[in-house]
Amino acid sequence: MATLYDIAVAAAINILTAFAFFIAFAILRIQPCNDRVYFPKWYLKGLRNSPLSSGVFVKRFVNLDFRSYLKFLNWMPAALQMPEPELIDHAGLDSAVYLRIYWTGLKIFVPIALLAFSIMVPVNWSNGTLEHSGLTYSNIDKLSISNVPTGSPRFWTHLVMAYVFSFWTCYVLKKEYEIVATMRLHFLASERRRPDQFTVIVRNVPSDPDESVLELVEHFFLVNHPDHFLGFQAVYDANKLFKLVDEKKKMHNWLDYYQLKYVRDPSKRPTLKTGYLGLLGNRVDAIDFYTSNIERLAKEISVEREVIANDTKYVMPAAFVSFKTRWAAAVCAQTQQTRNPTIWLTEWAPEPRDVYWENLAIPYVALAVRKLISGVAFFFLTFFFMIPIALVQSLANIEGIEMAVPFLKPLIETHFIKSIIQGFLPGIALKIFLIFLPSILMLMSKFEGFISRSALERRSAARFYIFQFINVFLGSIITGTAFQQLNSFIHQSANDIPKIIGTSIPMKATFFITYIMVDGWAGVSGEILRLKPMIIYHLKNFFTVKTEKDREEAMDPGSLSFNTGEPQIQLYFLLGLVYAVVTPILLPFIIVFFGLAYVVFRHQIINVYNQEYESAAAFWPDVHMRIIVALVVSQLLLMGLLSTKQAAQSTPLLIALPVLTIWFHFFCKGRYEPAFVRYPLQEAMMKDTLERVREPNLNLKGYLREAYFHPIFKAGDDESEMDEASEVEMVQKPELVPTKRHSRRHTPMSSIGSDAPLLNQPAPNL
């Protein structure tokens, strides 16, 4: 059991670590050679010039102004100065709303912590239950509900505080949902024109024996959206071409490296071995080797482009369909196109930067099977991860194991070493186990077939949250309790085990405190240091950079990783809400995390991150729902805990609390969520009307022509090879629709060559 001394040692280690990171950051960020590492966003916007291009040679690399070193924390107030509207214009709505998650945490937990420490802590502390219980405990545990005697009327305080904390949390969530929904609608109404505002993606286009997919898509939308259809971009299976282009790019990087090496030392031609990892095989001239491989790949790419352009089997049964107005696109995206709800499926197209092109080649019918396989794999991954979690918890409760297994005592005698192991090592070990998990979950999401990066990140975030809830939260409590109270489990009867668990759960707060300090405090402060991007940038700058363009490409600004960051934040919401009533001592550690993370990520968003896409805060309903889940879980756990404490009079009154919370969630879902899943036709019409007045001569066809052109076809000089296959004439007056079809299964209008009238035809037989 971690004692107060252990927590103090862990806190000291993590505070010193965070401070060391900040000192290192303060020194590194003001060095001219690191300017592109810590301010890449301003370079991408063209608003910052490199300090390496002028001045004395030494000053190009080292900052000799010693006064600037004394202001090592001036970045904090600077990060808070930019107003939110300016931040949205600078970094986008996604980034601004992501910061509001941290702000929401502060708004929820600061008032709760003040109430808890003024009311809950005195109520818990002024008892002597644990001293006479025979359980393993520390002084910190005396601040928890475990120190309140069984059947005590003091549990009424916990019940009242549970209602107060829940109502306050719901109030903050409602206000934030309302604010973010308003911000989203205002952003959509005021932002500049984007291709996705006029475009939908249609999937599961049915096969037809008489027409190709290209002809079928054109015919369907000319008939069913005759006044608004503008054109479409076919979707191609270009995954093989993508791999070839990617391989060619890697070869170019290696060629640049060896050419630069040869320029620096012309007396010796660079060589390499062609075998595995450059360790085996024949030794050849490196420049000639990569030059010949690049030429070979260029020929293969040219052949593959021509094959895709001329072979209809590479055309997928999907397309990006564009309309003349936002209103028409909204109608198409939000309505069912045919009587058969499984074909001609339309939805809003992701913005071009957000499209995950590789998954567009997956047949729609295969998505359900992929989803099932991914779900089963996730279940087993979650289940088997309990083993390392149990191992981590065994490290967290050495004293409890020593009581049950005395022969381990001689191995751990030094008090300071024991404090480090119990107060610092468990959090580090758990974080190490979780390092590769986000990458695995992202691979699962890609396997499922989502067609946008934002959808991939939201799916991965949802699974990461479930994983952390089951393994990190429930797993740590269950396995930790078993290890911690092992002696009580062995010597007590089976009827007393639920009581022991109910008493022990609050005492797991000590483990979560160490985890928050390691993952939250030290982790967030390490984020601002950007050690890995800095090392990679300087390696590229030394080995491969030849021009200013190469130097810009060597920058890695990164972006907000929603799939990893948001689930971690939600874990802290869960811990804070669960332990607010049970063990309030955990709340200050969570508040420090939210405050520190808010400042750090605000700085990163302003100066570093360059978002890969903009979803207009489409993720906020997920954020709201997970906080609600955390709130309900906290209420249910409190009910279970009070039932073990024989609080028969107060416990039944808690039943209404989760019911009211769930009702509140559905109220917010019905009131605010439509703003995140639908685009109001009124807003679309207003924006279209204003645009027609302001830009009467807008060439929308030209603006959208290559918006959803696969980027791999833009990557070379052979782009024209795809033009004929990919471009579709934007028909303005589709009075007659030419078709090769002999059947009218999918088209209620007659086609050219038919003697039937164009209108008033009977409904087609599906």
Side-chain angles (χ1 to χ4, degrees), residues 390-411:
L391 203 62
V392 169
Q393 288 303 321
S394 68
L395 294 174
N397 299 285
I398 293 176
E399 290 180 352
I401 293 179
E402 286 182 348
M403 293 178 62
V405 193
F407 66 86
L408 291 177
K409 251 186 176 181
L411 298 176

Side-chain angles (χ1 to χ4, degrees), residues 392 425-436 515 518-520 522-524 568 572:
V392 169
L425 185 60
I428 286 287
L430 184 57
K431 189 164 180 63
I432 290 173
F433 278 122
L434 295 175
I435 284 178
F436 300 105
Y515 181 74
V518 171
D519 181 68
V524 168
Q568 285 294 95
Y572 298 130

